[in-house]
Amino acid sequence: QPCWSEYLTTRIEQNMVVNCTCPISECRAQPTTAFICSIVSSEEIIAKYEKALLRGYVECCSNLTWCTNPQGCDQILLKDGLGYGAACSKCSWISCFNCNFPEAHYPASCSHMSHMTCAKCNHGFCWRCLKPWRPTHKDYYNCSVMVSKAAWQEKRFQDYNERCTFHHHAREFAMSLRNRVSSISEMPKIRTLTFVLDACKVLEQARKVLAYSCVYSYYNQDTESMDIVEQQTESLELHTNAL
């Protein structure tokens, strides 16, 4: 039993317990949960084992995923049930299930979030796999001929990037403000501040949409539709700044 206990404890601590087998090389039997719990006495190790089982189960289910909140959240989300644009029931974070970006990014599409462009030669590539966005890169692009266009493209990128960064920082400010108001509203003899909390939530959402609108506008080349988008974005930004 001591040998089994040491063996299983080591496998659990190394996150290798889910597929572990009997230590005898000729035996491919896997220890059951009941057997592991009867051998390992440490509650901490058993807790790690249970987390490993849960993690393995979630990774095997195509319709399950973890909340992508970068601040940390252990909530399991059901893709079919939650859908695009709905929030985690525990932390209210909105995840995107179609790409690896950590949050929902409407109105920017998933391709917008992974499509990067070189400022020097205008080469487009995928941020996730680093493969060329267009398969004929070497024939299609010519750095020496496109210097002026590359400079214009770089300036355009910087402008949109600065606007996007500004809205992200403003969103963080709104989140910080909401947290401060929440702590104040819990104090005795303070009248209800629900309307301020609601305003902060609206402000957070508006800044998020404005930030990803910059991504959408940067990649969209349809002049006619962009006129409408820019008008709507300008109107939203005007009212958001007022709020």
Side-chain angles (χ1 to χ4, degrees):
Q1 182 169 334
C3 294
W4 265 109
S5 179
E6 183 177 351
Y7 170 70
L8 292 173
T9 298
T10 301
R11 300 289 289 192
I12 292 172
E13 290 180 336
Q14 294 177 348
N15 293 319
M16 301 172 62
V17 68
V18 175
N19 296 319
C20 81
T21 58
C22 175
I24 299 177
S25 58
E26 293 81 9
C27 181
R28 307 306 301 169
Q30 293 184 322
T32 64
T33 298
F35 177 76
I36 293 176
C37 291
S38 67
I39 294 295
V40 180
S41 58
S42 171
E43 294 183 359
E44 181 181 354
I45 298 299
I46 290 298
K48 288 184 179 180
Y49 169 64
E50 292 175 344
K51 287 183 179 179
L53 286 181
L54 180 60
R55 185 168 57 250
Y57 177 75
V58 172
E59 291 174 355
C60 290
C61 295
S62 60
N63 65 331
L64 295 179
T65 187
W66 298 98
C67 175
T68 58
N69 190 335
Q71 300 300 321
C73 179
D74 58 0
Q75 185 78 346
I76 299 173
L77 307 179
L78 178 62
K79 293 182 181 180
D80 295 337
L82 190 59
Y84 177 83
C88 171
S89 60
K90 183 174 182 179
C91 69
S92 299
W93 186 260
I94 306 176
S95 304
C96 178
F97 296 142
N98 297 319
C99 68
N100 293 331
F101 199 73
E103 70 173 341
H105 40 73
Y106 179 84
S109 68
C110 293
S111 62
H112 289 157
M113 303 313 297
S114 58
H115 185 185
M116 304 300 290
T117 304
C118 174
K120 182 178 180 181
C121 69
N122 209 32
H123 167 51
F125 63 95
C126 176
W127 180 250
R128 285 182 286 173
C129 67
L130 300 181
K131 292 181 179 179
W133 200 262
R134 302 190 182 191
T136 56
H137 164 62
K138 292 183 179 180
D139 298 330
Y140 183 84
Y141 295 101
N142 187 326
C143 290
S144 60
V145 175
M146 300 178 64
V147 172
S148 59
K149 182 177 180 181
W152 172 83
Q153 187 76 353
E154 181 177 7
K155 178 62 170 61
R156 182 170 178 267
F157 171 80
Q158 290 177 347
D159 291 342
Y160 277 104
N161 185 57
E162 288 177 1
R163 288 168 55 189
C164 183
T165 302
F166 168 79
H167 290 304
H168 276 306
H169 287 165
R171 178 188 176 193
E172 292 175 357
F173 168 78
M175 294 170 66
S176 175
L177 180 62
R178 178 162 61 89
N179 291 333
R180 294 204 302 268
V181 173
S182 296
S183 62
I184 293 175
S185 63
E186 295 175 357
M187 298 174 61
K189 298 182 180 179
I190 297 294
R191 65 187 181 89
T192 178
L193 296 176
T194 303
F195 70 99
V196 181
L197 294 174
D198 291 341
C200 290
K201 292 178 181 179
V202 172
L203 194 58
E204 290 175 37
Q205 184 63 25
R207 289 298 183 188
K208 178 181 176 181
V209 172
L210 286 169
Y212 292 121
S213 292
C214 294
V215 179
Y216 176 84
S217 298
Y218 176 74
Y219 286 109
N220 198 308
Q221 302 297 322
D222 188 340
T223 305
E224 184 176 349
S225 65
M226 279 310 301
D227 289 340
I228 300 175
V229 171
E230 291 291 351
Q231 291 175 5
Q232 293 177 334
T233 303
E234 184 178 350
S235 177
L236 176 59
E237 186 168 2
L238 180 66
H239 287 86
T240 301
N241 290 338
L243 180 61

